[in-house]
Amino acid sequence: MVMASKLIGVIGAGMCDDSIATIAENVGREIAKRGAILICGGLGGVMQAAARGANKEGGTTIGILPGSRREDANPYIDIAILSAMGHARNAIIAQSSDALIAVNGEYGTLSEIALSLKMGKTVVVLESKWKIDGVIVAKDAREAVEIVFGKISVR
Amino acid sequence: MVMASKLIGVIGAGMCDDSIATIAENVGREIAKRGAILICGGLGGVMQAAARGANKEGGTTIGILPGSRREDANPYIDIAILSAMGHARNAIIAQSSDALIAVNGEYGTLSEIALSLKMGKTVVVLESKWKIDGVIVAKDAREAVEIVFGKISVR
Amino acid sequence: MVMASKLIGVIGAGMCDDSIATIAENVGREIAKRGAILICGGLGGVMQAAARGANKEGGTTIGILPGSRREDANPYIDIAILSAMGHARNAIIAQSSDALIAVNGEYGTLSEIALSLKMGKTVVVLESKWKIDGVIVAKDAREAVEIVFGKISVR
Amino acid sequence: MVMASKLIGVIGAGMCDDSIATIAENVGREIAKRGAILICGGLGGVMQAAARGANKEGGTTIGILPGSRREDANPYIDIAILSAMGHARNAIIAQSSDALIAVNGEYGTLSEIALSLKMGKTVVVLESKWKIDGVIVAKDAREAVEIVFGKISVR
């Protein structure tokens, strides 16, 4: 049972190169080490690397999938929520997260950053290609997670 | 970590009398005893009683809430997914469940039974007020959970 | 421009036999004759027959499609809203309708009837296979539409 | 009946100053003049100004509202679709539009731009505060609408 755990969203593209995957995995590790649950889109790339990191540290991972098949979840997802609503599931990830960390990312990630900011959530970005007012830029995975936990513990 | 666990949906009204609550709590207990995760709408009544039952047996509970506030989840929900999409969240519960158990219920429950059947899921009902072809009628909580696990283990 | 028009939902299965199609087409005709907009799921069967009826009388038809492709709309849909959220779109049809008429139908229809009743909408059924408290049973298309307009004009 | 009409999305913030409203109104006018249907979020600010523009030219306007009450639609919305799913409705607007024009905008608009690009839609921006690769920058309402119609007529 994981009652009262914080949910930290990790968002990023479904495909990524090794250097981005390493950052995402470290983000996942740091989240799990601090006892929070990782929530993400449940697919590959950044989502899979982050879930793998959390998994290695014994953390719990939730994937809010766009489709209707559990098999589409990456192998590090403990709990697959099958939204069957495509991109609209991005709003559920944003809403359900206490705070979010975006690792690099494509348009889907940008939509999630924007929705999260719209909802008043803390959004920390790593290796972002866009300049969006309101996000907090971190230099590495550890700093990103520290910022996030600093913000959510205040509330 | 709860990898590969089955998700069993428990559906029912947000308010219920004591006898229905007792049935729902027993359903929750039986689900947790068998190592499955309970997924529900996260609110009161049947949802709360079922989550309480699972909680007492050390199980994990997920609530797919209609709103955007974690505080609306009943106190036995471990993981609150904030859909912020009202009744449309019923489709997510149905889709995410390996099988579902309906305990009594009002119109919201009926919509969820129908959606689940539409998706080809096993639906077991307890104390149902409607006659719907395709559901399986059980006489008590234990039988309902046994039927559900019999069905999903076959697949 | 169609300002202030009422939206009448017509719900039913995506496949149906000729006698059901005839009823659905008459429902669509009667809705259009009274100057209301027909809203439906946009696909085949009852949805197509109803939209065809409205179309023949010069009415406007809206389809809230489950998918993401306009080509999936039946040829009598004037405005296709692409929800890309599968069965969750049923909640949008129910919510957007001033009142609904169900013609026969399968599980999807049942979910929509239940959601509509949950939202407090008037639901008139024709050739229904279920007995659901709260719906109004009509004997033919004309009576169904008359009941619906009687109810919504009162408000 | 409006069969085969193109749907052009106009996105922007729910509050805006007069100069932005003027641009949005002109965008709405130009869309209606070309016989397309305007689709938007149905609320105030840019959405209202654009719908007013289309309305003045005799065009049809659709609002995909975040809530469940028709009264929340601005007075220039002909057809109000009540999504009752908050920000997730942004995905429906993006998906349903043949192409989109963003006028200025806040985070909600940014999420919609990103979703639209993710879906491969043409997005033309006016008075945008962000630099997003993939959008087309227009200098005024007329140019924005001309670009949009140039793109969708090619397909």
Side-chain angles (χ1 to χ4, degrees):
Chain A
M1 202 195 47
V2 290
M3 200 174 340
S5 291
K6 295 293 185 183
L7 266 66
I8 307 300
V10 179
I11 54 183
M15 290 178 66
C16 68
D17 64 28
D18 287 355
S19 70
I20 295 298
T22 300
I23 295 170
E25 184 167 333
N26 287 334
V27 167
R29 280 185 181 274
E30 296 294 329
I31 288 170
K33 280 186 195 167
R34 283 163 178 81
I37 294 172
L38 183 150
I39 182 170
C40 68
L43 300 180
V46 162
M47 299 170 262
Q48 177 160 339
R52 186 173 57 232
N55 185 275
K56 284 184 181 171
E57 299 291 339
T60 297
T61 60
I62 302 171
I64 310 289
L65 290 156
S68 58
R69 293 160 23 104
R70 186 147 316 156
E71 308 86 272
D72 294 337
N74 73 59
Y76 307 103
I77 295 298
D78 297 322
I79 298 169
I81 303 300
L82 305 174
S83 76
M85 50 176 64
H87 304 302
R89 70 90 145 79
N90 292 5
I92 302 177
I93 298 171
Q95 193 71 63
S96 300
S97 298
D98 288 289
L100 298 99
I101 298 171
V103 184
N104 193 252
E106 300 292 338
Y107 292 136
T109 312
L110 179 59
S111 79
E112 216 147 17
I113 292 172
L115 283 169
S116 302
L117 292 169
K118 172 90 176 170
M119 295 169 187
K121 310 273 179 177
T122 293
V123 180
V124 177
V125 301
L126 283 162
E127 306 287 331
S128 178
K129 46 175 110 159
W130 307 285
K131 279 201 199 304
I132 309 295
D133 52 304
V135 303
I136 302 169
V137 180
K139 66 175 195 300
D140 58 31
R142 185 176 200 120
E143 190 189 62
V145 177
E146 272 168 9
I147 292 167
V148 153
F149 277 82
K151 289 281 180 184
I152 64 181
S153 63
V154 172
R155 271 184 274 166
Chain B
M1 202 194 48
V2 289
M3 202 176 336
S5 291
K6 294 292 184 183
L7 266 68
I8 307 299
V10 180
I11 55 183
M15 292 178 65
C16 68
D17 65 28
D18 286 356
S19 70
I20 294 297
T22 300
I23 295 169
E25 184 167 336
N26 287 335
V27 167
R29 279 185 182 274
E30 296 294 329
I31 289 170
K33 279 185 194 167
R34 283 164 177 80
I37 294 173
L38 183 149
I39 181 167
C40 69
L43 300 179
V46 162
M47 298 170 262
Q48 177 159 340
R52 186 174 57 234
N55 186 276
K56 284 183 180 171
E57 299 290 340
T60 297
T61 61
I62 302 172
I64 310 289
L65 290 156
S68 59
R69 293 157 26 102
R70 188 149 311 158
E71 308 86 273
D72 294 337
N74 74 59
Y76 307 103
I77 294 298
D78 297 322
I79 297 169
I81 303 300
L82 305 173
S83 77
M85 48 178 65
H87 304 301
R89 71 88 147 81
N90 292 5
I92 302 176
I93 297 171
Q95 192 72 63
S96 300
S97 297
D98 287 290
L100 298 99
I101 297 170
V103 184
N104 194 249
E106 301 291 339
Y107 293 135
T109 312
L110 179 58
S111 79
E112 217 148 15
I113 291 171
L115 284 169
S116 302
L117 291 169
K118 170 90 176 170
M119 294 169 190
K121 309 273 179 177
T122 294
V123 180
V124 178
V125 301
L126 284 161
E127 307 286 332
S128 179
K129 46 174 109 159
W130 307 285
K131 279 201 199 300
I132 308 296
D133 52 303
V135 303
I136 302 169
V137 180
K139 64 175 198 298
D140 60 28
R142 184 175 202 123
E143 190 188 64
V145 176
E146 271 166 10
I147 292 168
V148 153
F149 278 82
K151 290 280 181 185
I152 63 180
S153 64
V154 172
R155 270 184 276 168
Chain C
M1 201 195 47
V2 290
M3 204 177 332
S5 291
K6 295 292 184 184
L7 265 66
I8 308 300
V10 179
I11 54 183
M15 291 177 66
C16 68
D17 65 28
D18 286 356
S19 71
I20 295 297
T22 300
I23 296 170
E25 183 166 336
N26 286 336
V27 167
R29 280 185 183 274
E30 296 293 329
I31 289 170
K33 279 186 196 167
R34 285 163 175 79
I37 294 171
L38 183 149
I39 181 169
C40 68
L43 300 179
V46 163
M47 300 171 261
Q48 177 160 340
R52 184 174 57 234
N55 186 275
K56 284 184 179 171
E57 298 292 340
T60 297
T61 60
I62 302 173
I64 311 289
L65 290 155
S68 58
R69 292 159 24 104
R70 185 149 315 158
E71 307 87 272
D72 294 337
N74 72 59
Y76 307 103
I77 295 299
D78 296 322
I79 297 169
I81 304 299
L82 306 174
S83 75
M85 50 176 65
H87 305 301
R89 73 89 148 76
N90 292 5
I92 302 176
I93 298 170
Q95 192 73 64
S96 300
S97 296
D98 287 290
L100 298 98
I101 297 170
V103 184
N104 193 251
E106 301 293 337
Y107 293 136
T109 312
L110 178 60
S111 80
E112 217 146 18
I113 291 172
L115 283 168
S116 302
L117 292 169
K118 170 90 177 170
M119 295 170 188
K121 310 274 177 176
T122 294
V123 180
V124 178
V125 301
L126 284 162
E127 306 288 330
S128 179
K129 45 174 109 158
W130 307 286
K131 278 202 199 305
I132 308 297
D133 52 302
V135 303
I136 301 168
V137 180
K139 65 175 196 299
D140 59 28
R142 186 176 198 121
E143 190 189 62
V145 177
E146 271 167 10
I147 292 168
V148 152
F149 278 82
K151 291 280 179 182
I152 64 179
S153 63
V154 173
R155 273 182 274 167
Chain D
M1 202 195 47
V2 289
M3 201 176 337
S5 290
K6 294 293 184 183
L7 266 67
I8 308 299
V10 179
I11 54 183
M15 292 178 64
C16 68
D17 66 28
D18 287 355
S19 69
I20 295 297
T22 301
I23 295 170
E25 184 167 335
N26 287 335
V27 167
R29 279 185 182 275
E30 295 294 328
I31 289 170
K33 278 186 198 169
R34 284 164 177 78
I37 295 172
L38 183 149
I39 182 168
C40 69
L43 301 178
V46 162
M47 298 170 263
Q48 177 160 340
R52 185 173 59 234
N55 185 275
K56 284 183 181 172
E57 299 291 340
T60 297
T61 61
I62 303 172
I64 310 288
L65 290 156
S68 58
R69 291 157 27 100
R70 186 149 315 160
E71 309 87 272
D72 293 337
N74 73 59
Y76 307 103
I77 295 298
D78 297 321
I79 297 170
I81 303 299
L82 306 173
S83 76
M85 49 177 66
H87 305 301
R89 73 87 148 80
N90 292 4
I92 302 176
I93 298 170
Q95 192 72 63
S96 300
S97 298
D98 287 290
L100 299 98
I101 298 170
V103 184
N104 195 248
E106 300 292 338
Y107 293 136
T109 312
L110 180 59
S111 78
E112 217 146 18
I113 292 171
L115 283 169
S116 302
L117 291 169
K118 170 90 175 169
M119 294 170 189
K121 310 273 180 177
T122 294
V123 181
V124 178
V125 300
L126 284 161
E127 305 288 330
S128 178
K129 43 174 110 160
W130 307 285
K131 278 202 199 303
I132 309 296
D133 51 303
V135 304
I136 301 169
V137 180
K139 63 174 200 299
D140 59 30
R142 185 177 202 121
E143 190 189 62
V145 177
E146 272 167 11
I147 291 169
V148 152
F149 278 81
K151 290 279 180 183
I152 63 180
S153 63
V154 172
R155 271 183 276 168

